[in-house]
Amino acid sequence: MNQLHLKAQIQQLGQVRYTPAGLMALDASLKAESEVIEAGKPRKVSLEIKAVAVGEVAKQLQALGVGGDAIFRGFLTHQRNGRGFIAHVTVIEPAAP
């Protein structure tokens, strides 16, 4: 199963573009920092990942703006050039304080 659930902050937003179907699409860079348990020990984890949102979710992403915190849900896929992954955001939820 391919599911993404990430509490992150928007680091960068790209230019608004439109899909061939006429839907708004917006690229972003997300940064997440957290602590997880690995092999019974706490570990600090930090990552940046490229993301894209389409349609109404793109509008929500744009409204959050750079620096906005939220929980991003969706799925991962390869980038078009085959180098690395991109998160396709399908749901944006408010982040708990």
Side-chain angles (χ1 to χ4, degrees), residues 9-91:
Q9 183 180 58
I10 300 170
Q11 293 294 298
Q12 185 176 19
L13 288 174
Q15 295 293 317
V16 172
R17 58 187 171 83
Y18 291 88
T19 68
L23 297 172
M24 178 181 169
L26 186 59
D27 295 312
S29 176
L30 304 177
K31 183 174 183 177
E33 295 179 334
S34 62
E35 188 172 287
V36 297
I37 303 297
E38 182 178 40
K41 304 282 184 185
R43 177 180 174 185
K44 289 189 179 190
V45 180
S46 178
L47 68 91
E48 285 193 39
I49 188 168
K50 292 181 180 180
V52 64
V54 178
E56 290 300 317
V57 180
K59 292 177 185 176
Q60 293 174 347
L61 185 66
Q62 186 179 43
L64 270 175
V66 173
D69 286 309
I71 297 171
F72 300 91
R73 295 182 188 265
F75 60 93
L76 296 173
T77 188
H78 284 286
Q79 291 185 10
R80 286 189 180 154
N81 62 12
R83 302 178 123 203
F85 295 96
I86 189 163
H88 284 252
V89 178
T90 57
V91 176

